[in-house]
């Protein structure tokens, strides 16, 4: 409860919802209360799912739902926005049919529907679908290590080591690091505007049309993705630093997580021993050595691939963000695996799982 209240207070004081001096004390308190109550509600629903009244984690489900809602809204939003070219629909698909129906020059209408600026376009939507497909394809990459029972002769199976060994943990930790740094930087920048040292951490400016602050200088600027390829070409140093940061941080968090979460080679060997399972042709010590050949490499390289996919999604202009799309895809795939596992345990019937 205190953590939720403190985080909510930081978000409001940082100016994320507007300058506190302009909002007033009453509005600020209402926003803090709303954020705190929403956080507690999410935790309660998460506990409800973990008690057996649903599948998976409630927090993961809410994250995936929020990201998918953003994608659907950007594709099908009926909201109209008055731009310099006239009134346009916000949704990329609706805008596509509207432009074809209202413009006499169909080629120009198609070009605008695919490449229009400052609003979602069909290229953004196609990039999102492409990233979804690539991430799902990479989910199938794994190495199966043969293991057998030490107690029952003839009972053999395999231990899978996936490419994304730590799943979406690297991108979650990286996103948490960046978001907290953003909040601290915005709060300090609003209180000490013009300070040189605070400016090294981040310089913020209001974005046109979106109503939110974006980093335009300092460390936070180099940790944020370029908006598109043209921004990358204008400031290649920004792009290079961002790529190195994303790849390095995701690989580091993934490599560190296996030791923290109890999924390192030593921990896996201990779990197999407790289950009286051994690897074919290996004793306990040599089994740890064999697992060490795969697990740390899968964790580091998998984290690197997660970072690379996130960077690619950002550069392609996918709807939402590269981080958000990766979170959504990995969470949905985890739910698919849980659903299949539960279905097999209940006799392979979908109706028996649902009812």
């Amino acid at each position: 409860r205190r953590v939720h209240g403190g985080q909510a207070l930081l978000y409001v004081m940082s100016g994320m919802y507007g300058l506190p001096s302009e909002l007033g004390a009453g509005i600020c308190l209402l926003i803090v209360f709303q954020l705190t109550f929403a956080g507690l509600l999410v935790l309660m629903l998460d506990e409800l799912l973990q008690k057996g009244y649903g599948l998976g984690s409630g927090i993961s489900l809410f994250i995936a739902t929020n990201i998918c809602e953003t994608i659907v809204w950007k594709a099908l939003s009926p909201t109209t926005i008055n731009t310099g070219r006239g009134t346009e629909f916000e949704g990329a698909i609706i805008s596509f049919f509207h432009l074809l129906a209202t413009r006499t020059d169909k080629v120009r209408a198609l070009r605008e529907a695919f490449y229009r600026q400052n609003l979602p376009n069909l290229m953004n939507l196609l990039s999102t679908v492409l990233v979804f497909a690539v991430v799902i394809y990479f989910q199938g990459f794994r190495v199966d290590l043969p293991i057998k029972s030490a107690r029952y002769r003839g009972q053999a199976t395999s231990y899978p080591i996936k490419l994304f060994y730590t799943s979406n943990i690297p991108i979650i930790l990286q996103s948490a690091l960046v978001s907290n740094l953003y909040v601290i930087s915005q709060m300090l920048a609003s209180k000490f505007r013009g300070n040189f040292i605070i400016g090294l951490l981040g310089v913020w400016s209001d974005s046109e049309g979106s109503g939110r602050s974006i980093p335009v200088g300092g460390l936070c600027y180099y940790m944020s993705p370029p908006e598109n390829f043209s921004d990358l070409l204008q400031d290649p140093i920004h792009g290079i630093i961002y790529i190195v940061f994303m790849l390095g941080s995701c690989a580091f968090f993934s490599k560190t997580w296996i030791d923290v979460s109890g999924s390192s080679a030593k921990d896996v060997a201990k779990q197999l021993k407790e289950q009286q399972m051994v690897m074919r042709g290996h004793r306990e010590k040599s089994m740890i050595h064999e697992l060490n050949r795969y697990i740390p490499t899968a964790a580091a390289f998998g984290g690197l691939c997660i970072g690379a996919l996130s960077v690619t999604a950002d550069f392609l202009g996918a709807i939402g963000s590269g981080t958000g799309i990766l979170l959504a895809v990995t969470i949905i795939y985890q739910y698919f695996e849980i659903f299949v596992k539960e279905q097999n345990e209940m006799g392979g019937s979908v109706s028996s799982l649902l009812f």
Side-chain angles (χ1 to χ4, degrees):
R1 192 176 300 173
R2 293 178 180 176
V3 173
H4 283 294
Q7 191 81 7
L9 187 62
L10 275 177
Y11 271 98
V12 174
M13 295 302 294
S14 67
M16 184 166 290
Y17 301 98
L19 292 175
S21 58
E22 297 178 359
L23 293 174
I27 299 297
C28 289
L29 286 175
L30 282 175
I31 296 175
V32 170
F33 173 77
Q34 179 185 353
L35 293 175
T36 305
F37 178 76
L40 293 175
L41 184 62
V42 168
L43 285 180
M44 289 173 60
L45 292 174
D46 180 61
E47 288 288 333
L48 189 66
L49 287 180
Q50 292 186 4
K51 292 294 183 182
Y53 295 97
L55 297 177
S57 165
I59 295 176
S60 296
L61 179 62
F62 298 139
I63 292 173
T65 303
N66 181 54
I67 296 166
C68 291
E69 181 268 335
T70 301
I71 295 173
V72 172
W73 180 258
K74 296 292 186 182
L76 301 171
S77 170
T79 304
T80 56
I81 298 175
N82 191 7
T83 64
R85 301 179 298 270
T87 302
E88 295 184 25
F89 285 96
E90 182 182 8
I93 296 177
I94 295 180
S95 175
F96 167 70
F97 290 108
H98 175 256
L99 289 171
L100 284 180
T102 57
R103 301 291 171 88
T104 55
D105 189 347
K106 304 302 180 183
V107 175
R108 185 177 178 182
L110 281 173
R111 188 183 301 113
E112 190 171 335
F114 274 89
Y115 301 106
R116 64 176 182 167
Q117 300 296 318
N118 302 323
L119 286 174
N121 57 53
L122 288 181
M123 282 304 298
N124 298 145
L125 190 60
L126 292 175
S127 300
T128 305
V129 174
L130 175 64
V131 173
F132 262 81
V134 171
V135 175
I136 291 174
Y137 176 72
F138 276 116
Q139 289 279 3
F141 282 46
R142 67 182 189 180
V143 174
D144 291 319
L145 300 180
I147 58 176
K148 64 179 183 178
S149 175
R151 176 183 293 184
Y152 304 105
R153 181 175 298 179
Q155 183 177 349
T157 182
S158 61
Y159 183 82
I161 300 177
K162 296 182 178 180
L163 173 62
F164 295 156
Y165 185 71
T166 52
S167 187
N168 55 12
I169 293 298
I171 206 70
I172 289 176
L173 295 176
Q174 188 273 339
S175 178
L177 170 67
V178 172
S179 63
N180 285 314
L181 184 62
Y182 280 8
V183 170
I184 294 172
S185 175
Q186 281 184 284
M187 184 173 62
L188 293 175
S190 63
K191 294 292 183 182
F192 306 100
R193 189 175 299 275
N195 187 286
F196 174 74
I197 297 177
I198 301 300
L200 292 177
L201 181 61
V203 178
W204 297 82
S205 176
D206 293 333
S207 175
E208 296 181 2
S210 64
R212 62 184 180 88
S213 296
I214 59 172
V216 294
L219 180 63
C220 290
Y221 169 70
Y222 290 102
M223 293 173 67
S224 64
E227 293 292 332
N228 45 50
F229 273 113
S230 61
D231 289 346
L232 177 64
L233 294 176
Q234 291 175 5
D235 191 356
I237 297 178
H238 175 204
I240 293 171
I241 293 177
Y242 172 71
I243 293 172
V244 172
F245 166 70
M246 282 294 299
L247 299 185
S249 60
C250 286
F252 171 77
F253 283 131
S254 182
K255 187 73 166 53
T256 305
W257 183 254
I258 61 173
D259 297 320
V260 175
S261 63
S263 54
S264 64
K266 187 177 180 180
D267 297 315
V268 171
K270 183 180 178 181
Q271 293 168 10
L272 292 176
K273 182 181 178 182
E274 291 174 351
Q275 298 171 6
Q276 296 186 342
M277 304 293 291
V278 295
M279 292 181 63
R280 293 179 182 178
H282 295 277
R283 296 181 179 179
E284 183 179 352
K285 291 185 178 179
S286 62
M287 187 164 63
I288 296 176
H289 177 73
E290 183 70 11
L291 288 170
N292 264 322
R293 291 178 54 195
Y294 296 98
I295 291 179
T297 304
F301 186 67
L304 199 71
C305 290
I306 286 283
L309 287 169
S310 178
V311 170
T312 303
D314 285 326
F315 287 168
L316 288 176
I319 294 175
S321 66
T323 301
I325 292 171
L326 285 174
L327 284 174
V329 177
T330 51
I331 290 170
I332 292 170
Y333 194 83
Q334 285 174 1
Y335 266 92
F336 170 74
E337 290 182 327
I338 293 172
F339 184 85
V340 171
K341 182 180 178 181
E342 293 283 341
Q343 183 181 350
N344 292 334
E345 289 178 356
M346 300 190 72
S349 172
V350 177
S351 60
S352 62
L353 178 60
L354 296 177
F355 306 104

